[in-house]
Amino acid sequence: MTLSYYSNILYDAVIYIAVGFAIFFIGKMVYQLVNKGFNVKEELVEKDNLAFSFAHVGYFIGLLAAIGSAIVGPSRGLLLDIQDIAIYGILAIVLLNISIWLNDKIILSKFSVKKEIIEDRNSGTGVIEGAISVASGLIIFGAVTGESGTLLEGITSAVVFWFAGQIALFITAAVYQLITPYDIHEHIEKDNVAVGVGFAGALIAIANLIRHALMGDFEGWTYTFTEAGFELALGILLLPVMRFLTDKILLPGQRLTDEIINQEKPNVGAAIIEAFAYIGGSVMITWCI
């Protein structure tokens, strides 16, 4: 390999990073425009709002994953790559912000997310809001990297896969409520951070499986949706199994429900272990399939 070869690689990498940072900055500005009811600097620096920090950093992680979907993959040449990063990067920002709005209205429909995070500084809600951004970013990553064909066909498939992924998150939220012996919304509204952490882990775990199913070359709608449906079914089965194993193996001698809701101070550490069980299980599945 010659010096000029490595120089060209470095040159291209710098260009890609610069375009990626520009898209990231646009995503940050869009977030501020969408959320005009509060001041980001005031919440983070002056009010030390931990709940907002969870939600805000979650958005950045989701945004990074979403933008990454436009950068990874085989090169088509510098100019075409920049065009793809710009187009799919903007698409990813739009889809991510729509995802947050949709999930606030459907998954966290029983209370005002903005009120809980900004006025009540409810960290449990902040954790879930952040997890929704991360989960949506992972789904967008899979949806965009799985696109194919012409630009229009690629955008169409990415949007369809993204929407299917959002439905998967709604299903996950409903199933998680069924397998937990307490009302998730009720305890989150009571500022129970532990409940929020466990729920967040379940959402991210399923999103990771959907990401895995959607990635790769597009081989047809039927094949892709069959693959995604199979991994979603595995993930849904994973939730009660991992919750049971958390009780019996990861928290020996203690009941997870007691640690999370049936004591004066909810055990956030136990909830982190629960979340790890879900996410770790999903990672194991992606390794084995």
Side-chain angles (χ1 to χ4, degrees):
M1 298 296 181
T2 64
L3 181 60
S4 61
Y5 171 81
Y6 288 109
S7 297
N8 289 334
I9 291 179
L10 180 60
Y11 174 78
D12 289 352
V14 170
I15 297 297
Y16 294 146
I17 291 172
V19 175
F21 269 116
I23 300 296
F24 190 90
F25 180 76
I26 292 172
K28 178 177 180 292
M29 298 304 296
V30 169
Y31 181 84
Q32 292 176 335
L33 288 173
V34 171
N35 299 280
K36 292 182 178 180
F38 54 82
N39 184 286
V40 173
K41 178 180 177 181
E42 180 181 352
E43 295 298 329
L44 289 175
V45 180
E46 298 176 16
K47 294 184 177 180
D48 298 342
N49 189 337
L50 181 61
F52 180 77
S53 296
F54 284 134
H56 200 52
V57 173
Y59 175 78
F60 284 154
I61 296 173
L63 179 61
L64 183 64
I67 292 173
S69 66
I71 298 176
V72 301
S75 174
R76 300 199 301 151
L78 183 59
L79 292 180
L80 286 176
D81 285 349
I82 292 174
Q83 170 190 286
D84 288 346
I85 293 172
I87 293 173
Y88 284 107
I90 297 299
L91 175 65
I93 291 171
V94 172
L95 294 180
L96 179 59
N97 282 274
I98 294 175
S99 299
I100 296 171
W101 180 82
L102 275 176
N103 284 277
D104 284 354
K105 298 299 181 182
I106 297 175
I107 293 180
L108 298 176
S109 61
K110 294 185 179 180
F111 51 76
S112 169
V113 174
K114 180 179 177 181
K115 176 181 178 298
E116 291 296 317
I117 293 177
I118 302 301
E119 296 180 20
D120 298 346
R121 303 186 191 183
N122 184 336
S123 292
T125 304
V127 167
I128 296 174
E129 183 80 344
I132 285 172
S133 293
V134 174
S136 297
L138 289 172
I139 290 171
I140 293 168
F141 186 94
V144 172
T145 54
E147 55 81 25
S148 66
T150 65
L151 179 62
L152 181 59
E153 290 171 338
I155 292 174
T156 300
S157 64
V159 172
V160 171
F161 291 148
W162 161 80
F163 184 72
Q166 295 306 301
I167 294 175
L169 287 185
F170 304 154
I171 294 172
T172 301
V175 171
Y176 186 79
Q177 177 61 84
L178 287 175
I179 68 172
T180 51
Y182 49 83
D183 188 313
I184 297 172
H185 286 82
E186 176 187 345
H187 286 279
I188 291 172
E189 199 168 7
K190 292 179 179 178
D191 295 1
N192 190 325
V193 181
V195 171
V197 169
F199 189 24
L203 294 174
I204 293 173
I206 296 299
N208 183 49
L209 292 173
I210 299 301
R211 172 203 60 80
H212 180 260
L214 295 178
M215 285 182 65
D217 295 333
F218 180 70
E219 297 183 33
W221 294 103
T222 301
Y223 177 85
T224 302
F225 278 116
T226 300
E227 183 75 12
F230 175 67
E231 295 207 28
L232 174 61
L234 283 180
I236 295 299
L237 292 174
L238 169 79
L239 295 180
V241 171
M242 288 296 101
R243 187 174 177 83
F244 175 80
L245 292 178
T246 301
D247 255 345
K248 302 303 180 183
I249 298 176
L250 300 181
L251 287 175
Q254 302 295 330
R255 292 188 69 248
L256 183 60
T257 298
D258 289 338
E259 292 298 306
I260 291 178
I261 68 166
N262 292 333
Q263 54 187 29
E264 183 178 352
K265 185 177 180 181
N267 188 341
V268 178
I272 291 174
I273 293 175
E274 178 192 6
F276 163 76
Y278 298 141
I279 297 172
S282 78
V283 171
M284 290 287 288
I285 289 176
T286 61
W287 287 346
C288 297
I289 293 180

